[in-house]
Amino acid sequence: MSEQLKSAEPNINDIYDEVSDWHVNAGGSKVVAKRMSGRFRRLKWFGMSVWLIFFIGPYLRWDGKQAILFDIPNRQFNFLDITIFPQDIWMLSLTLLFFAILLAAVTSIAGRVFCGYFCFQTVWTDVFTFIETRLEGDTPQKAMKFKNAPLSVSKISRITLKHTLWLAIALLTGVTFAAWFTDAYQLWHDFFTLQASLAAWIVLGMFTVGTYVFAGFMREQVCFWLCPYARLQGVMYDQDTVLPAYDAERGEPRGKLKKGAVDSSKGSCIDCKVCVAVCPTGIDIRKGQQEGCITCGMCIDACDSIMDKTNQPRGLIRYASYKDLHHNAAPAALYKRPRVLIYSFILMIALSGVGYGFATLSTTEFQVIHNRQPVFVQLSDGSIQNRYTLKMLNKTHEAMEVKYAISGLDGATLHGIDESVIIEPGKVIPLQALVRIPDDKLNTELEHLTFIANVVSKPDISVQYESIFMGPK
């Protein structure tokens, strides 16, 4: 029995030997975070994999064309069979509002999980540092040893390979971003044949340089000094927000753990600083919430691994609310938190608006503008004439033939428009139309009038517009 207890004792020397090579960054050196496996690391990889949509999306095809295309030159957004024009920009506004409020709602519930798991700066930095640590060392000491080593074929090849991979990822990022705004396959051809437009080259250059510098060199400094969201996070937290936190009541006073020694006056924290070593921004979570914390949970994985090795229960560092840590109370239910309720209400309105927009999205847009200078003209034969501007937008992918007519006003006739008008896809053709009516047919100074746009090839998408006809008093 004593032999079993002895074998169950943690090997303290192995723990401190393992962490002795890790370094606490105080801002004077580059952060080289130790990579450790764990549930939050797996969750981080899962969150990062969402960005595969960014790289795959432009190359998906639908009905012989690009499935998703932000066609800025033609002022339209194509999503499968749906085409959205500037007239439907309110739907885009509601979509942006939805994601902005969703970001605030998630932050108020679980902190900066967007920063920790989905932010492009975090994701690209994690990939770049993964490449670097595999080639140059995964701790500051190993990285410094590699840096100070004399030049050799191995060192030069490793550095060259690192920057080649960084630039390849940066170039792919730039090309992919540009591909969302033009045909992706044609874009690659234009780049390789040096026939791409100036805008495409500018986008490629900006994203290549930006990705290479931000993810390769600035890294956590972007989160500290350039990202405004790090400054805004504080106003989105409350006492019920669940964040990675250090349980000081359980962990303090911290102290080195000695083999075979049991000190009941010390807390669970053995001051190994592993939580600092794995942090991508180099902060010490034991000092409380800080600007640099992106709530990625890497410190939780690190601390749990040490608790396992020292035969202590997990959770010294865990996702917890202020109430949980300081009042031993569970966070309030979501339906009892006014902030979450307000965010949810706005989300529902925005989502309902977007859903209504897609449900009522038409294939044409017809508008009639009554010209008011002058309001009417009395011709030599005594008839009254009004002038209108007719605008018909073709939202389909085929040219349409349109014939205009009027109804609802007896005796009125339409002039100034040809028998039919051809409108190309995505185009608007404004026309000046004249409506005349004999004076004796005009009963009041204001009469209702209906303009009809008949689509010859597709009568089912013909539209009407209610307008007015004005005459003398």
Side-chain angles (χ1 to χ4, degrees), residues 206-226:
M206 289 177 58
F207 272 81
T208 300
V209 174
T211 303
Y212 180 69
V213 173
F214 286 170
F217 300 95
M218 296 189 67
R219 299 181 182 177
E220 75 283 348
Q221 301 304 316
V222 174
C223 303
F224 277 109
W225 309 114
L226 295 183

Side-chain angles (χ1 to χ4, degrees), residues 30-182:
K30 180 173 64 176
V31 173
V32 181
K34 181 69 177 179
R35 289 178 175 268
M36 296 186 66
S37 60
R39 50 181 174 155
F40 290 102
R41 166 51 69 179
R42 290 191 294 272
L43 184 61
K44 189 179 180 77
W45 280 116
F46 175 77
M48 292 168 59
S49 66
V50 173
W51 280 98
L52 292 174
I53 299 174
F54 170 78
F55 290 101
I56 297 174
Y59 304 99
L60 301 178
R61 314 299 288 183
W62 181 268
D63 197 20
K65 61 182 184 299
Q66 191 161 316
I68 305 174
L69 178 63
F70 296 90
D71 193 352
I72 293 179
N74 293 319
R75 295 177 296 177
Q76 57 185 258
F77 166 44
N78 298 310
F79 180 76
L80 303 182
D81 280 334
I82 301 173
T83 301
I84 299 175
F85 288 85
Q87 289 80 0
D88 305 308
I89 193 66
W90 61 273
M91 295 173 56
L92 176 60
S93 301
L94 286 180
T95 303
L96 295 177
L97 175 65
F98 174 82
F99 284 108
I101 299 301
L102 178 63
L103 190 63
V106 171
T107 302
S108 66
I109 296 171
R112 295 169 61 188
V113 290
F114 171 78
C115 294
Y117 299 95
F118 303 103
C119 174
F120 45 86
Q121 174 64 23
T122 300
V123 172
W124 267 252
T125 297
D126 199 79
V127 173
F128 275 43
T129 54
F130 175 81
I131 295 172
E132 183 178 66
T133 54
R134 289 297 180 271
L135 294 173
E136 298 183 0
D138 59 356
T139 67
Q141 283 75 19
K142 292 179 181 178
M144 184 61 67
K145 181 180 179 180
F146 178 84
K147 180 180 178 181
N148 295 332
L151 285 177
S152 63
V153 175
S154 175
K155 182 176 181 178
I156 293 175
S157 62
R158 286 171 180 262
I159 294 175
T160 302
L161 178 59
K162 180 187 77 171
H163 287 281
T164 300
L165 293 174
W166 282 6
L167 284 172
I169 295 173
L171 281 167
L172 182 60
T173 301
V175 174
T176 304
F177 182 84
W180 287 90
F181 299 90
T182 186

Side-chain angles (χ1 to χ4, degrees), residues 3-14:
E3 292 181 356
Q4 293 179 351
L5 292 174
K6 186 176 180 180
S7 61
E9 291 182 0
N11 192 329
I12 305 305
N13 292 332
D14 289 346

Side-chain angles (χ1 to χ4, degrees), residues 402-405 414-422 431-433:
V402 179
K403 289 185 177 181
Y404 294 100
L414 184 63
H415 302 270
I417 299 179
D418 297 334
E419 290 187 359
S420 63
V421 178
I422 303 297
L431 298 173
Q432 294 296 316

